[in-house]
Amino acid sequence: MPSIRHWRPRRRRRRETDTDAAKWLPARWALWSAPAVIIGYVLTVDAFAFTVTGVSFLDLDITTGDWIRFGALVAGAAAHIEAGREIERLRWTAAEGATYVNLKSMWTFAAVLVLPLPLAVAVIAFSSLHSWLRLRRSMPHRVVFSAATIVLASAVATMCLRAINPSNYPGYTGGLIGLAAVVAAAVAYWFVNYALVVGAVMLSNPDTPARRALGQLSDQFIVAGGLGLGLATSLMLTSQPWLTITLLITVLGLHRALLVGKFQAAARTDVLTGVVNNVFWHEIATKELERAQNNNTPLGVLYMDLDHFKAINDTHGHLAGDQVLKAIAAELKHEVRSDDLVGRLGGEEFAILLPGTTAEDTAQTAERIRRRVATLMTTVTTPNGPVDVSDLTCSIGTATYPVAGHNLDVLLMAADTATYTAKNAGRNRVITAPAQTDSTL
């Protein structure tokens, strides 16, 4: 479920009398120090949501079954939040300046399908408040705005359900008409919420690239999954209520397993370049070397250092240098095989692991990389505007198991020494580490 993670207001000194409760008073909202266009946008969305909520009470018809389903959805949403709150805190923080997507739509969309709109709005309010209390106490105007976007999305989804299949609203009884109504409601729910949140992100961060504001495609699969789970939840609540507990347990287990795996992968990645970091590269290289020793197969190591990289930082700035490193990393990943491993050891130094590669093939791979870097041209951002950077060169040292050594430290030292030899020989070249004698293996 997308929600807003955007604009940071100017920090002001915290008064001793300020409490969390006092911050909810509209007069205390940090929103008022934002640009006028953001204030207008947020207040307009909030006002529409409050109006829709008020109008929904004009046609109020709530049964005992509705109250039971309402309680089940609130309890399910609360359990979901509690089970994943530590990981969701990290995801919330990481989404600064972009849309934050979660599976809360599993419960809110189910509420749209099986409850009258006023009770669906109440589910949204309870889950939003619970998220604020247990995940991250962000600024109240953000919480209200995010809830307002979901309310408006729910209202439009409700209109679709009532227009296409009025005799079975609220609820889902199947059939072609029922399926069409649910699909239309899901698309409307997603589009309204997504458009409102992206609009706020782009207004609040005008310098943010549109691609980042729109979020990743994988985020939209999460939303689609949440909407699908919402349909499944609504079906169970109306036909087999006790099975909803099984669905909840399944979702919680998958949620935690997938997100823990995602953050473990993130911890292995160099933030700047997207290749693996130094620690993880060494971990995998150690395991690959053990496999090579057990299977009696070769293994190659490349140690690459960009030539005169400091001149790029000194001439164009560190932002330009970072952009060059990203471009270099992308070229390295394109040049090697899928089972090879590119890592950034630090600064402008990269290491590449080549399992099952002989000394000759390792040297050929290094030469292809050297030529590819030499032909690379990338546009970087400088204080004077965009500038094309070309004429990049690199020095590469290669070492292979078992020719150059029998353990990882020896192989890396051999490749590193070969790299310095390449630099001392004039740079922009590949040097292969010599075979080691029995006494140094």
Side-chain angles (χ1 to χ4, degrees):
M1 187 70 250
S3 62
I4 190 167
R5 289 284 293 113
H6 65 299
W7 162 76
R8 291 180 177 178
R10 294 187 298 272
R11 298 181 65 182
R12 63 184 182 89
R13 183 175 300 173
R14 178 185 175 95
R15 298 180 181 177
E16 293 181 358
T17 57
D18 281 349
T19 64
D20 287 334
K23 287 181 178 180
W24 279 92
L25 296 174
R28 297 283 186 90
W29 286 5
L31 172 67
W32 311 123
S33 61
V37 65
I38 298 175
I39 296 175
Y41 183 85
V42 170
L43 292 183
T44 299
V45 172
D46 291 348
F48 269 109
F50 279 109
T51 301
V52 166
T53 301
V55 171
S56 69
F57 280 92
L58 298 178
D59 187 22
L60 189 61
D61 183 16
I62 299 177
T63 66
T64 301
D66 291 332
W67 284 113
I68 294 173
R69 287 186 285 272
F70 167 77
L73 288 170
V74 170
H80 194 169
I81 291 169
E82 290 298 320
R85 63 191 179 94
E86 296 300 330
I87 297 173
E88 289 298 335
R89 280 197 189 116
L90 296 175
R91 292 187 66 239
W92 189 92
T93 302
E96 181 65 37
T99 55
Y100 162 59
V101 176
N102 55 43
L103 286 175
K104 193 160 54 178
S105 54
M106 170 183 176
W107 309 103
T108 54
F109 187 61
V112 171
L113 295 177
V114 300
L115 296 177
L117 185 57
L119 285 186
V121 171
V123 172
I124 295 168
F126 275 107
S127 63
S128 297
L129 182 60
H130 190 186
S131 295
W132 181 82
L133 290 170
R134 301 294 288 164
L135 294 181
R136 186 70 177 248
R137 298 199 176 190
S138 60
M139 299 173 190
H141 73 272
R142 292 185 175 183
V143 180
V144 174
F145 177 85
S146 295
T149 65
I150 303 174
V151 168
L152 292 178
S154 300
V156 176
T158 298
M159 292 171 61
C160 293
L161 294 170
R162 300 185 73 164
I164 299 174
N165 196 19
S167 61
N168 291 314
Y169 173 81
Y172 176 66
T173 56
L176 185 60
I177 297 299
L179 177 61
V182 168
V183 170
V187 172
Y189 183 98
W190 165 80
F191 179 78
V192 172
N193 179 246
Y194 183 65
L196 291 173
V197 170
V198 169
V201 171
M202 297 187 71
L203 284 176
S204 304
N205 300 274
D207 296 330
T208 298
R211 180 179 299 179
R212 175 165 171 77
L214 292 173
Q216 300 179 354
L217 179 60
S218 59
D219 291 340
Q220 303 316 310
F221 285 116
I222 294 176
V223 175
L227 295 174
L229 289 170
L231 174 59
T233 302
S234 67
L235 287 172
M236 289 187 178
L237 282 174
T238 54
S239 60
Q240 298 290 335
W242 290 108
L243 284 179
T244 307
I245 299 175
T246 303
L247 179 63
L248 173 61
I249 294 173
T250 302
V251 170
L252 293 182
L254 290 173
H255 186 197
R256 288 189 60 83
L258 291 174
L259 288 180
V260 167
K262 179 178 179 180
F263 276 93
Q264 286 176 338
R268 300 166 180 166
T269 304
D270 177 62
V271 177
L272 176 62
T273 62
V275 300
V276 302
N277 59 27
N278 187 5
V279 174
F280 187 63
W281 190 91
H282 278 80
E283 178 183 336
I284 297 301
T286 300
K287 293 178 180 178
E288 286 289 355
L289 181 57
E290 291 176 358
R291 184 175 291 108
Q293 291 168 341
N294 293 334
N295 297 334
N296 196 26
T297 56
L299 178 142
V301 173
L302 304 185
Y303 198 108
M304 189 192 88
D305 194 352
L306 294 178
D307 298 328
H308 304 297
F309 181 75
K310 184 176 182 297
I312 296 175
N313 286 331
D314 293 342
T315 304
H316 302 299
H318 288 279
L319 176 59
D322 289 347
Q323 292 170 339
V324 169
L325 290 175
K326 291 179 184 179
I328 292 292
E331 296 298 313
L332 294 179
K333 288 190 289 186
H334 286 139
E335 191 58 50
V336 300
R337 303 165 301 183
S338 59
D339 56 346
D340 298 332
L341 186 67
V342 180
R344 183 184 177 208
L345 302 186
E348 65 272 22
E349 298 175 349
F350 294 86
I352 304 173
L353 187 69
L354 306 171
T357 307
T358 63
E360 182 180 358
D361 290 338
T362 299
Q364 290 176 355
T365 300
E367 182 59 29
R368 289 199 309 270
I369 290 173
R370 185 197 65 79
R371 289 197 299 265
R372 186 157 187 156
V373 170
T375 59
L376 175 65
M377 183 177 71
T378 183
T379 303
V380 300
T381 303
T382 74
N384 298 320
V387 172
D388 290 334
V389 173
S390 59
D391 299 325
L392 298 168
T393 63
C394 64
S395 299
I396 304 176
T398 76
T400 55
Y401 165 82
V403 176
H406 280 184
N407 65 68
L408 186 60
D409 289 340
V410 172
L411 286 174
L412 283 175
M413 183 177 297
D416 189 20
T417 301
T419 302
Y420 276 97
T421 301
K423 284 186 172 293
N424 292 332
R427 295 183 170 85
N428 191 26
R429 63 193 65 215
V430 175
I431 297 292
T432 298
Q436 300 293 302
T437 63
D438 291 341
S439 61
T440 58
L441 287 175

